[in-house]
């Protein structure tokens, strides 16, 4: 714990103070003192999470009392909050973990560990939408830095699957892809019947199609080329109806939902 005498010492020599992040020490002039975070990490490594929480709480309160000297003595208050959040997570104390992660982000909105721990806490509270948003915020920061770390993508998958098991589809915020019934043809390994209005023209379709409803490319029910018909069917919307599960899976993107319409389906299609 940082005492008043150490406060005075740090104020006097703050111009020469350095923080050694690797060893967890604050070096003041020629002296080196144990960083408050280091003792908490020792508690964490030995599995004494409740003691770590008490330790971090003491350090945070001391730092608040010495607000004028906070940047000199403990320039990483956000890390104290973030580490205390981790201790709460290990004890499955999700609500205080969430509060600490938010406090850490108030200090440093770009702290990746805080975004990750906030999402974990919200997942533990089964606040799936909020958890996904927190994880996405962290992933966005990684994307800005072109960092290919997968911690957030793994966490987003966990959130999406946990939510789905609770009938919460917060993680599936993309398109809804429908798979039509193949009927009795499913038993023969066939997909659902082709429907040009849903599928668009296929390579097996006739080269000329008749399109109704006054589309600019299809006037007065005149026969038009297959290319024009395809444009008429797909303009302004994306295809969301498929003939088989396989076809829908191949077209799906992250976050899409695949819904099976009532009937018989052939998974291989």
């Amino acid at each position: 714990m940082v005492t008043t005498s150490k406060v005075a010492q740090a104020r006097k020599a703050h111009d020469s103070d350095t923080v050694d992040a690797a060893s967890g020490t604050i070096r003041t002039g020629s002296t080196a003192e144990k960083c408050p975070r280091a003792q908490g990490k020792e508690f964490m490594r030995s599995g004494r999470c409740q003691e770590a929480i008490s330790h971090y709480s003491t350090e945070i309160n001391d730092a608040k009392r010495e607000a004028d000297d906070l940047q000199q003595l403990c320039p990483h208050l956000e890390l104290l909050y973030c580490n205390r959040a981790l201790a709460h997570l290990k004890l499955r104390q999700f609500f205080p973990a969430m509060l600490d992660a938010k406090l850490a982000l108030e200090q440093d909105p770009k702290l990746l560990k805080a975004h990750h721990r906030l999402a974990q806490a919200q997942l533990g509270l089964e606040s799936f939408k909020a958890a996904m948003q927190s994880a996405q915020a962290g992933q966005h920061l990684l994307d800005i830095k072109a960092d290919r770390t997968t911690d957030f993508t793994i966490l987003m998958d966990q959130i999406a699957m946990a939510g789905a098991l609770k009938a919460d589809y917060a993680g599936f915020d993309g398109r809804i892809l429908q798979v039509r019934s193949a009927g009795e043809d499913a038993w023969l390994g066939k997909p659902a019947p082709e429907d040009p209005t849903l599928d668009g023209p296929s390579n097996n379709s006739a080269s000329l199609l008749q399109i109704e409803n006054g589309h600019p490319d299809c006037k007065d029910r005149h026969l038009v080329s297959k290319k024009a018909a395809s444009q008429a069917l797909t303009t302004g919307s994306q295809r969301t109806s498929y003939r088989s599960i396989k076809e829908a899976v191949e077209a799906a993107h992250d976050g899409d939902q695949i819904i099976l319409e009532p009937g018989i389906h052939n998974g291989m299609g």
Side-chain angles (χ1 to χ4, degrees):
M1 182 171 66
V2 180
T3 64
T4 303
S5 61
K6 292 176 183 176
V7 170
Q9 181 186 27
R11 183 187 296 113
K12 181 178 179 181
H14 72 274
D15 288 337
S16 60
D17 287 354
T18 60
V19 177
D20 186 340
S23 62
T25 61
I26 298 177
R27 301 188 181 278
T28 306
S30 61
T31 64
E33 297 178 9
K34 203 70 172 174
C35 174
R37 287 179 291 141
Q39 182 61 55
K41 288 181 179 179
E42 290 179 8
F43 286 135
M44 294 287 287
R45 279 193 292 268
S46 60
R48 298 151 66 188
C49 296
Q50 193 59 57
E51 291 180 68
I53 291 171
S54 298
H55 175 77
Y56 288 131
S57 298
T58 299
E59 296 302 335
I60 289 168
N61 290 335
D62 286 348
K64 288 180 178 178
R65 282 196 294 267
E66 298 294 340
D68 292 339
D69 300 291
L70 181 59
Q71 295 302 313
Q72 298 173 17
L73 291 173
C74 187
H76 302 300
L77 180 60
E78 68 276 11
L79 295 182
L80 290 174
Y81 281 126
C82 196
N83 289 350
R84 190 170 68 177
L86 177 60
H88 282 303
L89 282 173
K90 288 184 177 293
L91 294 175
R92 300 184 63 79
Q93 298 171 351
F94 299 120
F95 188 75
M98 178 186 69
L99 295 180
D100 275 345
K102 288 184 175 181
L103 288 170
L105 289 172
E106 287 180 7
Q107 297 291 319
D108 182 359
K110 295 183 179 180
L111 185 59
L112 290 170
K113 289 191 294 185
H115 284 287
H116 197 274
R117 288 169 192 174
L118 176 57
Q120 287 180 303
Q122 291 165 329
L123 172 58
L125 292 169
E126 297 187 357
S127 298
F128 302 113
K129 183 176 181 179
M132 183 61 70
Q133 290 172 342
S134 297
Q136 289 172 338
Q139 183 60 48
H140 178 66
L141 292 174
L142 286 181
D143 292 341
I144 291 174
K145 299 192 300 182
D147 189 326
R148 300 196 178 191
T149 304
T150 60
D151 291 358
F152 284 104
T153 55
I154 293 173
L155 179 56
M156 284 189 283
D157 286 344
Q158 293 172 345
I159 295 167
M161 296 309 298
L165 291 173
K166 296 286 185 177
D168 186 315
Y169 299 100
F172 299 89
D173 54 359
R175 302 169 299 163
I176 296 179
L177 309 183
Q178 296 179 324
V179 180
R180 305 194 301 275
S181 170
E184 295 300 324
D185 283 346
W187 303 113
L188 302 176
K190 295 181 180 180
E194 184 178 355
D195 185 339
T197 62
L198 297 174
D199 303 323
S202 72
N203 292 333
N204 296 324
S205 299
S207 59
L208 297 178
L209 294 176
Q210 185 175 13
I211 306 297
E212 302 180 5
N213 300 327
H215 188 281
D217 289 336
C218 313
K219 297 179 180 179
D220 300 326
R221 298 193 178 188
H222 288 166
L223 291 178
V224 296
S225 70
K226 185 168 67 173
K227 179 179 180 181
S230 177
Q231 291 173 342
L233 288 166
T234 58
T235 297
S237 63
Q238 291 181 320
R239 181 183 175 190
T240 57
S241 181
Y242 294 89
R243 302 174 62 198
S244 69
I245 296 172
K246 179 182 178 182
E247 189 180 41
V249 169
E250 289 174 348
H253 299 160
D254 234 6
D256 289 347
Q257 299 181 53
I258 297 177
I259 306 297
L260 303 184
E261 294 184 356
I264 306 173
H265 297 274
N266 169 25
M268 297 305 293

